[in-house]
Amino acid sequence: MRILAIESSCDETAVAILNGQGDLLSLEVSLVRSQIDIHQAYGGVVPEVAAREHLAYIFPMLKQALADANLDASAIDAIAVTSGPGLAPALRVGVETAKALAWAWHKPLVPVCHLEGHLYATWLETRTPPQFPALALIVSGGHTELVLMSGHGQFVRLGETIDDAAGEAFDKVAKMLGLPYPGGPQVEQLAKLGNPKSFDFPRAMLDKPNLNFSFAGLKTSVLYKLREHEDKLAEPQFRADIAASFQEAVVDVIIKKTARALAEHHPKSIILAGGVAANISLRTRLQTLGDTHSVDVHVPLFAYALDNAAMIAAAGYYRFAAGDIVSPLTLSADPNQDIV
Ligand code: KG4
Ligand code: ZN
């Protein structure tokens, strides 16, 4: 079963072709064109600019993907596309393109939730995919959620952020430190040189008996600390200590809530997904947590941790196998789509 997938929810235009047989997924091509350098000038992603860039590149990339895989439309069994969540103008480019292809080529159309796609990044290039029930930790620029996955396409949300997402907090703290967008990798780099015990930033919601998160207070606390020490803002060690202490606070909260979810739900595996999954400190501590509880931890390969279409193809493959197709005439992008 060969799936052609399109992703355009934010600032990456991506196309992939994946061939699946049973649980054996073989990725034939995965193209990603990042627009980061264009949006950096604005300090964040500008939706209309993102859409314009997607429009300019989506068809050349589709042509390239088919050529790279040495295939034509007749070899494709279904078209999968990210239908949401994401930036409305950006999402629409992928969705309308997928609809046009599905209609013109007479192929089934499979809408895929972007967050579900991130989870399926751990199904790529592995012979030992996550076992169910799996506890999924989704940490991206827009979401921070703990989700229980009992089977393909079956999700129950256990907890989520009540304000900012973890990635958003990284991006905002980066901005306060004058670092370019996207801030996560920049803050992580800076944190490597700092002492995580320098500042005792708040760990919100830890005393609450639920699996929700909050990062707005932490962000504000960093802002006050920077204002308090305005004279030190240019000092490399001070900046590194701020970054390291901030990162430690975020990771502490995520790990403690995940530990609580493990104790309550006894999953067979843990899946880490979303852009923040690229963070080494988070990866390492989650691995240690899994080892302690004898639960397998599945982290996407770096190549599939950030937005890409290979993960959409993997999720789309299982959705297609379950018969989840829609008419190419009626699908519309849903910027607020959620995994449950
Ligand atoms: O999943 P993603 O590519 O896009 C969304 O769907 O949001 O995630 C992007 C987010 C950004 O907030 C970015 O700063 C964060 O992931 N991020 C990181 C790292 N790499 C990306 N955060 C912390 N450490 C990183 N290494
Ligand atoms: Zn994403």
Side-chain angles (χ1 to χ4, degrees):
M1 207 66 74
R2 190 176 270 118
I3 310 287
L4 182 150
I6 297 175
E7 152 68 38
S8 73
S9 64
C10 192
D11 58 346
E12 266 92 21
T13 319
V15 176
I17 299 174
L18 175 141
N19 199 358
Q21 265 163 0
D23 279 324
L24 204 63
L25 307 187
S26 92
L27 184 61
E28 297 182 318
V29 58
S30 173
L31 304 177
V32 181
R33 178 184 179 268
S34 170
Q35 307 168 1
I36 280 182
D37 49 345
I38 296 161
H39 297 286
Q40 259 171 357
Y42 304 96
V45 180
V46 183
E48 289 301 334
V49 174
R52 190 186 67 200
E53 292 294 313
H54 290 316
L55 268 176
Y57 286 90
I58 191 78
F59 280 106
M61 287 176 69
L62 281 162
K63 191 175 171 203
Q64 179 80 43
L66 288 167
D68 286 359
N70 203 14
L71 296 170
D72 61 26
S74 65
I76 305 295
D77 295 299
I79 315 275
V81 64
T82 302
S83 47
L87 305 170
L91 279 170
R92 274 187 210 119
V93 176
V95 167
E96 298 306 319
T97 304
K99 284 163 70 175
L101 288 182
W103 196 34
W105 289 350
H106 305 285
K107 306 287 178 187
L109 180 61
V110 184
V112 173
C113 168
H114 182 78
L115 303 175
E116 185 172 326
H118 271 300
L119 296 189
Y120 277 91
T122 51
W123 264 261
L124 293 166
E125 291 184 23
T126 178
R127 291 192 170 273
T128 52
Q131 292 209 323
F132 300 126
L135 175 68
L137 173 60
I138 305 171
V139 271
S140 71
H143 294 81
T144 303
E145 299 189 17
L146 276 164
V147 172
L148 195 64
M149 184 177 185
S150 53
H152 289 298
Q154 290 169 355
F155 306 99
V156 174
R157 189 187 299 110
L158 304 176
E160 64 187 324
T161 181
I162 58 163
D163 42 54
D164 293 355
E168 191 180 355
F170 267 95
D171 293 337
K172 286 180 178 167
V173 165
K175 212 167 197 173
M176 292 174 204
L177 288 165
L179 298 167
Y181 176 86
Q186 306 272 342
V187 171
E188 177 174 32
Q189 275 308 107
L190 198 55
K192 282 187 190 152
L193 310 167
N195 175 2
K197 306 271 176 274
S198 306
F199 302 102
D200 189 16
F201 289 130
R203 273 82 168 147
M205 310 286 286
L206 283 188
D207 52 337
K208 297 271 189 308
N210 59 35
L211 297 170
N212 290 335
F213 304 87
S214 162
F215 295 107
L218 168 61
K219 174 194 69 187
T220 311
S221 176
V222 173
L223 181 67
Y224 287 159
K225 192 59 75 183
L226 291 175
R227 280 197 190 146
E228 190 186 319
H229 297 281
E230 232 165 342
D231 50 321
K232 290 193 187 163
L233 260 181
E235 275 179 30
Q237 193 56 52
F238 171 75
R239 296 165 60 78
D241 288 345
I242 289 276
S245 303
F246 159 76
Q247 178 174 277
E248 180 96 338
V250 174
V251 174
D252 262 0
V253 173
I254 293 177
I255 293 298
K256 292 209 168 105
K257 288 284 178 173
T258 307
R260 182 192 290 258
L262 280 183
E264 288 176 7
H265 297 278
H266 310 289
K268 286 200 180 132
S269 55
I270 302 174
I271 303 172
L272 176 62
V276 187
N279 188 280
I280 305 283
S281 171
L282 178 58
R283 283 178 179 236
T284 312
R285 295 220 9 225
L286 198 65
Q287 187 60 58
T288 308
L289 180 71
D291 292 348
T292 315
H293 290 78
S294 302
V295 180
D296 285 341
V297 177
H298 298 261
V299 178
L301 295 171
F302 274 106
Y304 311 116
L306 299 182
D307 289 351
N308 65 84
M311 66 187 197
I312 304 302
Y317 168 71
Y318 284 104
R319 283 280 171 193
F320 182 49
D324 293 340
I325 59 172
V326 296
S327 159
L329 299 181
T330 53
L331 179 66
S332 57
D334 179 1
N336 300 315
Q337 187 175 340
D338 210 336
I339 195 163
V340 285

